[in-house]
Amino acid sequence: MSEPVIAIRNLVKRYGRVEALRKVSVDVPPGPVGLLGPNGAGKTTLIKLLLGLLEPTEGEAMIAGCDPSKKADRIEVRKRIGYMPEGDCLLPNTTGVELVTTLGRLTGLTRDDALARTHEVLDYVELDEARYRPVNEFSTGMKQRMKLAQALVHDPEILLLDEPTNGLDPKGRREMLALIDDLGRKQGKNILLCSHLLHDVELTCDHVLVMNKGEVVETGNVAEMTKEDGLSLTVTVDGDAALLRKTLVASGLGVEDRGDKLLVQLGPEAEDADQVFLAAAEAGVALTGVEPVKSSLEQVFLRAVGATAGVATEQTKEELA
Amino acid sequence: MKASTHTDVYRPFVGELKSHPRRALVLARAGIRVSFKRKLPALILFSPLAIACIVMCFRVHFMFTLAEQVSGTPNGPEAAMMVTQIQALLGDVVQNIFQFVQQSSWFVLIVMAWYGSGQIAEDQRVGANLLYFSRPLSRLEYLGGKFLTVFWFGFLAMVLPCLLICMVATFASPEWSFLKEEWDAILNSILFGVLWVSTIAIFVLAISSLTSRKTYALVGSAGIVFGTRALSQLLSGLMDDARPSILNLFQNMERVGEVLFDVTLIRGRAISVEASLAVIVLIWVVSLYVVTERIRRMEVVA
């Protein structure tokens, strides 16, 4: 794996008695990476820790080789990061151009560069004439574009995007995802896309981190995680499907009806579909189709989150005992 | 239809970031520009001060013109009498300037509270601190930017009119006598204006940092200043003693102003200039502590 953009070691963050992050240790590779997790999983806390907007209780997080918990590094790291917050944090009575220019200048752009970059990034996010209107008159979609534009104004190498598709209609969401996809895959930006929408991450990210209850419960390449896992098969039958179902169940396999098809769960030791073919021969039915089922990110996510939930339940039982 | 310059292709930035940009000034300029967008409050708040300044300028001008006409072309004992008259006149002008400053201080407080109360409160309300502090902006630069924004409005309301009046006095006085004889009055006007405006600025920012609503900060700032004034008057009345006037910011500033301008508005004041200065320093220390602590929390939550 290439040099990680973000390296986190034993990171803990507590708010009073609530533990938002529990000894998180993870390396985030370059490129577009999705940070998935249900609400309250600790995603936003992690992003704020990476920006130095929160102080860790324990552990360390290095981003682009800097430790944002140290004051000197904090200023340096913020020059190299573009942050798109989740909340609606645009100052009222400021036009789009004024806001992005000011934030660009605060990052260190000269007056001329800031103005030129402002128009370039506002063009890129397709905020046309609206850029001269006060931001408090913007629609949600325009505000999200505006927040992306301000994150891009100084052309940072790392983008931290916190729920960028929140509140967008399907068209706006598609357009926002197209921008993120372009930035991550064509412009070579290192993106940490924080979202609870699996589809967004699946479309735009190469890697994914799944968080739940303050822990990273799954991490890996999206393509590998969603590859054909060979554990499930969709079987189409020409003949008595009920008989085949009965035979498969008798052989100890899990079977579900999926309309005119059967979803067959093979055992963990199964390497091929031989058991299905044998059962079909035994039942005397012809198979017209056998397809491996590809895991969606949703299945991966649910598996990861479910596993943690299971562990938590066991822990709770032990504590009660 | 898009203009020919329009491009939706991402263009990487090829320049360099400045190593020491004046971020506080950038923030202040943006704050001033946004604050001045609403024209009606600016008109209402600055009109009385502008009118008072113009009237004062004319008054100073007429005082010198009149003195010049009366004196004619003197020689001998008449010349000596004219010198005495001009010296008395210059003293009157200085007293007039101080009285103008003192009377306008109410309006200046309102102007600064209006423009300053939203500076940090609004950032907290909308969460703009996340945008600011995700940039390489230090807390000191943030505070500096906000302070300069509020200070600018106070400068426009108090220091600039004083400078204008001094300028008129300089040009209207015979042979630049105001500049030659009373140059320290010009410096004192600036010094007193800066002291008043900066004290109010840091105080208003401290109140603004304690809330996330501009209205609360506005009511809080004005309420504390006017409330302590009313309390000091009440206590003075009840105790039949002028010492509680130390609670009154206006009285303390007036006391410092009397020393600076070398004039006496009230004879036999109960509070010493040292006590008044101590109160002003205390306001500064408490306000600075509050505002820096709140800004620290806005940047990094422990």
Side-chain angles (χ1 to χ4, degrees):
Chain A
M1 189 169 108
S2 47
E3 189 78 11
V5 178
I6 299 167
I8 299 168
R9 296 286 170 272
N10 300 318
L11 195 63
V12 177
K13 178 65 194 171
R14 290 192 200 97
Y15 298 102
R17 294 179 66 187
V18 178
E19 207 167 32
L21 291 181
R22 301 174 179 182
K23 284 209 177 277
V24 172
S25 293
V26 70
D27 285 335
V28 179
V33 177
L35 181 58
L36 275 175
N39 293 333
K43 307 185 296 288
T44 301
T45 300
L46 182 62
I47 282 195
K48 286 185 177 175
L49 280 161
L50 292 173
L51 275 165
L53 294 172
L54 284 175
E55 271 177 11
T57 313
E58 283 173 34
E60 63 168 20
M62 303 288 284
I63 180 162
C66 302
D67 182 354
S69 65
K70 291 179 186 155
K71 198 177 175 186
D73 277 11
R74 195 182 297 153
I75 297 293
E76 182 54 38
V77 83
R78 287 172 184 173
K79 288 180 187 167
R80 300 166 68 181
I81 293 180
Y83 174 49
M84 179 181 176
E86 182 184 4
D88 186 10
C89 51
L90 305 174
L91 275 174
N93 299 321
T94 318
T95 66
V97 172
E98 285 169 354
L99 184 70
V100 180
T101 309
T102 302
L103 292 171
R105 293 200 65 197
L106 287 178
T107 317
L109 295 174
T110 62
R111 185 197 295 254
D112 292 344
D113 282 346
L115 195 59
R117 279 294 297 169
T118 296
H119 286 289
E120 280 175 16
V121 291
L122 289 173
D123 280 344
Y124 178 67
V125 301
E126 294 185 1
L127 266 179
D128 297 326
E129 286 76 14
R131 69 186 67 180
Y132 298 108
R133 278 169 37 197
V135 290
N136 43 311
E137 292 176 9
F138 280 14
S139 66
T140 308
M142 289 156 94
K143 282 181 183 170
Q144 293 292 72
R145 285 162 188 269
M146 186 71 208
K147 287 195 286 179
L148 180 62
Q150 64 77 29
L152 286 171
V153 67
H154 56 295
D155 194 23
E157 58 189 81
I158 303 167
L159 282 168
L160 302 179
L161 310 178
D162 199 352
E163 306 280 3
T165 55
N166 251 11
L168 296 182
D169 58 29
K171 184 173 172 282
R173 189 163 157 242
R174 208 164 43 240
E175 288 168 353
M176 177 60 78
L177 290 175
L179 289 173
I180 296 169
D181 185 52
D182 180 62
L183 287 166
R185 297 206 169 113
K186 294 187 186 141
Q187 310 303 330
K189 299 281 176 207
N190 300 309
I191 298 177
L192 188 61
L193 171 65
C194 173
S195 178
H196 63 275
L197 300 170
L198 307 167
H199 184 64
D200 292 1
V201 172
E202 201 163 9
L203 279 179
T204 55
C205 296
D206 296 337
H207 276 76
V208 69
L209 308 177
V210 183
M211 289 192 75
N212 190 33
K213 295 179 179 173
E215 291 174 338
V216 174
V217 291
E218 184 77 66
T219 171
N221 185 288
V222 175
E224 281 174 16
M225 288 165 90
T226 58
K227 72 179 181 186
E228 295 166 2
D229 58 13
L231 289 174
S232 305
L233 298 172
T234 308
V235 178
T236 318
V237 182
D238 182 14
D240 192 350
L243 182 60
L244 176 62
R245 180 192 164 95
K246 206 173 164 183
T247 317
L248 286 167
V249 172
S251 322
L253 301 176
V255 185
E256 287 174 34
D257 285 319
R258 290 282 166 93
D260 56 346
K261 295 176 182 176
L262 297 173
L263 179 71
V264 183
Q265 298 281 337
L266 300 174
E269 70 284 354
E271 288 177 359
D272 51 36
D274 279 359
Q275 283 175 291
V276 178
F277 290 117
L278 287 170
E282 193 181 322
V285 293
L287 301 178
T288 53
V290 177
E291 289 171 52
V293 177
K294 191 180 173 186
S295 297
S296 71
L297 198 57
E298 187 178 353
Q299 282 170 306
V300 173
F301 175 74
L302 288 174
R303 216 158 43 215
V305 171
T308 337
V311 170
T313 316
E314 289 304 317
Q315 279 174 347
T316 317
K317 279 179 190 169
E318 281 171 23
E319 281 166 18
L320 284 171
Chain B
M1 194 179 138
K2 287 172 181 173
S4 56
T5 52
H6 181 99
T7 170
D8 54 5
V9 176
Y10 186 79
R11 291 183 190 171
F13 174 55
V14 287
E16 277 184 15
L17 297 179
K18 284 201 279 185
S19 52
H20 297 292
R22 294 171 187 158
R23 294 192 179 94
L25 285 177
V26 172
L27 200 59
R29 203 173 292 139
I32 292 165
R33 194 174 50 222
V34 171
S35 303
F36 263 139
K37 276 192 176 171
R38 294 177 69 191
K39 302 287 186 284
L40 189 61
L43 190 71
I44 293 169
L45 291 166
F46 282 103
S47 293
L49 288 164
I51 292 166
C53 176
I54 292 166
V55 169
M56 194 67 197
C57 287
F58 273 109
R59 192 174 157 181
V60 167
H61 184 262
F62 281 129
M63 282 166 86
F64 283 113
T65 313
L66 204 63
E68 209 167 344
Q69 282 173 358
V70 169
S71 56
T73 47
N75 49 38
E78 287 176 336
M81 202 170 75
M82 196 193 104
V83 169
T84 317
Q85 275 180 345
I86 287 176
Q87 279 173 343
L89 186 64
L90 291 174
D92 285 351
V93 170
V94 172
Q95 188 155 352
N96 271 309
I97 291 171
F98 177 51
Q99 280 176 341
F100 170 80
V101 169
Q102 188 218 341
Q103 282 158 13
S104 65
S105 59
W106 288 89
F107 263 103
V108 175
L109 172 71
I110 294 166
V111 167
M112 293 179 72
W114 175 266
Y115 285 108
S117 51
Q119 290 299 325
I120 300 179
E122 282 290 294
D123 284 356
Q124 293 188 105
R125 184 178 66 81
V126 299
N129 53 318
L130 286 179
L131 289 184
Y132 289 136
F133 289 121
S134 60
R135 314 263 152 197
L137 178 75
S138 70
R139 294 196 285 263
L140 189 65
E141 287 168 330
Y142 178 79
L143 175 60
K146 295 295 173 183
F147 180 82
L148 285 174
T149 308
V150 190
F151 184 88
W152 172 250
F153 290 104
F155 178 86
L156 286 185
M158 182 177 260
V159 184
L160 190 65
C162 280
L163 289 175
L164 280 174
I165 295 164
C166 289
M167 199 170 77
V168 169
T170 303
F171 284 109
S173 62
E175 294 175 2
W176 308 88
S177 55
F178 185 78
L179 189 65
K180 289 174 189 167
E181 302 287 324
E182 299 286 346
W183 59 269
D184 55 333
I186 300 172
L187 289 180
N188 288 337
S189 302
I190 297 169
L191 190 63
F192 184 76
V194 167
L195 179 67
W196 175 253
V197 167
S198 56
T199 307
I200 295 296
I202 196 73
F203 171 73
V204 168
L205 283 179
I207 302 293
S208 178
S209 69
L210 288 171
T211 174
S212 55
R213 284 277 183 277
K214 180 187 172 173
T215 321
Y216 298 164
L218 182 61
V219 171
S221 309
I224 289 172
V225 174
F226 293 126
T228 48
R229 183 175 187 267
L231 183 69
S232 78
Q233 284 176 343
L234 183 71
L235 289 173
S236 295
L238 287 173
M239 295 160 65
D240 198 19
D241 187 346
R243 276 179 298 177
S245 62
I246 200 157
L247 295 173
N248 184 347
L249 177 63
F250 290 96
Q251 289 280 323
N252 289 306
M253 292 303 291
E254 205 175 277
R255 185 78 188 90
V256 174
E258 280 183 348
V259 174
L260 274 177
F261 287 90
D262 195 20
V263 292
T264 309
L265 295 175
I266 299 170
R267 295 207 176 275
R269 275 190 192 271
I271 47 173
S272 65
V273 69
E274 289 81 11
S276 292
L277 276 173
V279 170
I280 293 164
V281 169
L282 185 69
I283 291 171
W284 262 94
V285 170
V286 172
S287 301
L288 261 178
Y289 173 76
V290 169
V291 77
T292 49
E293 186 59 20
R294 295 292 297 180
I295 290 173
R296 191 185 70 76
R297 288 187 195 185
M298 281 168 72
E299 189 204 8
V300 182
V301 180

